[in-house]
Amino acid sequence: MITRNVAMLIWGRDVVSAKSPFGNKVIDLGVVRILPHELFVLIGGAVLMAILYFFLKKSFFGKALEAVAFNKSAASLMGINPRLMASIAFIISGALAGAGGIMVGPLVNPGAFIGVFLGLKAFAVAIIGGLENPKGILIGALLLGVLENVFAMYSTSLKDAASFILIIGILAFLPQGLFGKRYKEKF
């Protein structure tokens, strides 16, 4: 909140229009029309997801990050420094947030308070896909995007309500998310 308010004091409350480096000419694919920048976001997001997946599954630091996330005490006993891993996770998350901001900036007209709304949608996607499953989160994001556009065909005011309708529906029937692990409870 402090950073957001300082940014608002420096740059003002006005929404800024960011120009896409790819232009605004719509690509017509028959049934689907897409902007070049939306295609860039789709491809860029897929590339970032693949890089992150291979980093977490194949590199020493990635495996150490997962070990610390799974059990901090056991990872510490195996010689992994949890504080270093927390710093690395913070750096990675900041870099991914910056890349995400660069990618979606021209699509959403950035302003001082945009992070709250996008953060709520990101939270909804994480809950829908299951907090422990990156593939589920990706599928949840695609599901939310499709649902928002279906709602927008009928009413643009319902587009933003789609995420909340979907999250309420998922939590009512599958509290662990679509792809979350199901645990048996013992009484």
Side-chain angles (χ1 to χ4, degrees), residues 163-185:
S163 59
F164 300 110
I165 291 170
L166 186 60
I167 194 169
I168 289 169
I170 294 294
L171 287 176
F173 299 105
L174 296 168
Q176 70 279 356
L178 291 175
F179 300 98
K181 292 182 181 175
R182 291 164 179 80
Y183 297 102
K184 291 184 180 180
E185 293 184 22

Side-chain angles (χ1 to χ4, degrees), residues 3-181:
T3 305
R4 182 177 62 213
N5 288 324
V6 168
M8 186 179 62
L9 288 173
I10 294 171
W11 292 290
R13 294 181 64 105
D14 298 333
V15 175
V16 180
S17 177
K19 302 255 190 259
S20 172
F22 303 107
N24 291 328
K25 186 177 180 190
V26 177
I27 300 171
D28 191 4
L29 301 173
V31 179
V32 178
R33 287 184 239 151
I34 189 166
L35 291 171
H37 197 85
E38 291 171 337
L39 197 58
F40 166 70
V41 170
L42 182 68
I43 294 168
V47 167
L48 284 176
M49 283 289 292
I51 290 170
L52 183 63
Y53 180 79
F54 284 113
F55 171 75
L56 290 175
K57 298 297 180 191
K58 303 294 182 190
S59 74
F60 171 76
F61 280 116
K63 291 177 183 178
L65 274 171
E66 283 192 335
V68 170
F70 184 71
N71 190 336
K72 183 178 172 182
S73 301
S76 181
L77 290 173
M78 297 303 293
I80 298 170
N81 184 351
R83 298 185 100 191
L84 175 64
M85 292 300 114
S87 298
I88 290 172
F90 188 77
I91 291 167
I92 291 170
S93 65
L96 288 173
I102 289 169
M103 287 194 294
V104 301
L107 298 175
V108 295
N109 293 331
F113 295 99
I114 193 169
V116 174
F117 189 66
L118 291 176
L120 283 173
K121 284 191 178 191
F123 177 71
V125 164
I127 294 297
I128 291 165
L131 290 172
E132 300 172 349
N133 189 343
K135 293 175 193 172
I137 293 173
L138 179 64
I139 292 170
L142 292 172
L143 179 65
L144 179 63
V146 168
L147 188 67
E148 277 187 346
N149 285 311
V150 167
F151 274 53
M153 287 185 340
Y154 298 107
S155 171
T156 55
S157 61
L158 287 177
K159 180 181 178 182
D160 296 329
S163 59
F164 300 110
I165 291 170
L166 186 60
I167 194 169
I168 289 169
I170 294 294
L171 287 176
F173 299 105
L174 296 168
Q176 70 279 356
L178 291 175
F179 300 98
K181 292 182 181 175

